[in-house]
């Protein structure tokens, strides 16, 4: 059974995430996904995917050796998080030239930096 390595957290509808399994000599691979879309590499040791808009992405990979024997499926899960909202900057409308100490801010978004 191949060990699937996938990101723990992915952003909803954002393309370009990668999951992989260790390369096995002379093996072929078959990936499947629930909660997203495979965008590249469905038959290789690494797959690129786009998560859907909520829930989690469940990835599965079966490796088949040169003799045609298939492994049990390896599985990986990535939790889908919402994209951050565009922050609204609050700043003074008027400032005095060369005067320090003005403050601008944005509302706090949970789990954002």
């Amino acid at each position: 059974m191949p060990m699937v390595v996938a990101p723990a957290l992915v952003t909803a509808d954002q393309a370009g995430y990668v999951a992989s399994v260790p390369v096995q000599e002379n093996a072929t691979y078959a990936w499947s996904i629930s909660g997203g879309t495979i965008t590249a590499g469905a038959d290789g040791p690494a797959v690129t995917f786009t998560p859907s808009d909520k829930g989690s992405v469940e990835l599965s990979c079966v490796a088949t050796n040169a003799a045609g024997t298939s492994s049990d499926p390896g599985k990986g899960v990535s939790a889908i998080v919402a994209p951050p909202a565009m922050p609204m900057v609050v700043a003074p409308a008027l400032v005095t030239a060369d005067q320090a100490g003005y403050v601008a801010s944005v509302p706090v978004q949970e789990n954002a930096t």
Side-chain angles (χ1 to χ4, degrees), residues 2-3 6 17 35 37-38 40 49 54 65 100 113:
M3 185 176 101
Y17 289 102
T37 305
I38 292 174
F49 66 96
K54 60 185 172 187
N65 68 14
T113 58

Side-chain angles (χ1 to χ4, degrees), residues 80-106:
I80 299 172
V81 297
M86 182 173 58
M88 183 175 140
V89 177
V90 178
L94 301 172
V95 296
T96 302
D98 298 321
Q99 175 118 13
Y102 294 103
V103 176
S105 65
V106 296

Side-chain angles (χ1 to χ4, degrees), residues 1-101:
M1 164 177 17
M3 185 176 101
V4 174
V5 177
L9 299 173
V10 293
T11 301
D13 300 316
Q14 181 174 319
Y17 289 102
V18 176
S20 63
V21 295
V23 174
Q24 298 179 44
E25 191 172 331
N26 298 317
T28 59
Y29 306 88
W31 287 87
S32 61
I33 190 170
S34 172
T37 305
I38 292 174
T39 56
D43 59 354
V47 67
T48 304
F49 66 96
T50 301
S52 64
D53 62 348
K54 60 185 172 187
S56 63
V57 176
E58 296 179 19
L59 295 148
S60 177
C61 182
V62 172
T64 303
N65 68 14
T69 303
S70 295
S71 69
D72 290 333
K75 298 184 185 224
V77 177
S78 299
I80 299 172
V81 297
M86 182 173 58
M88 183 175 140
V89 177
V90 178
L94 301 172
V95 296
T96 302
D98 298 321
Q99 175 118 13

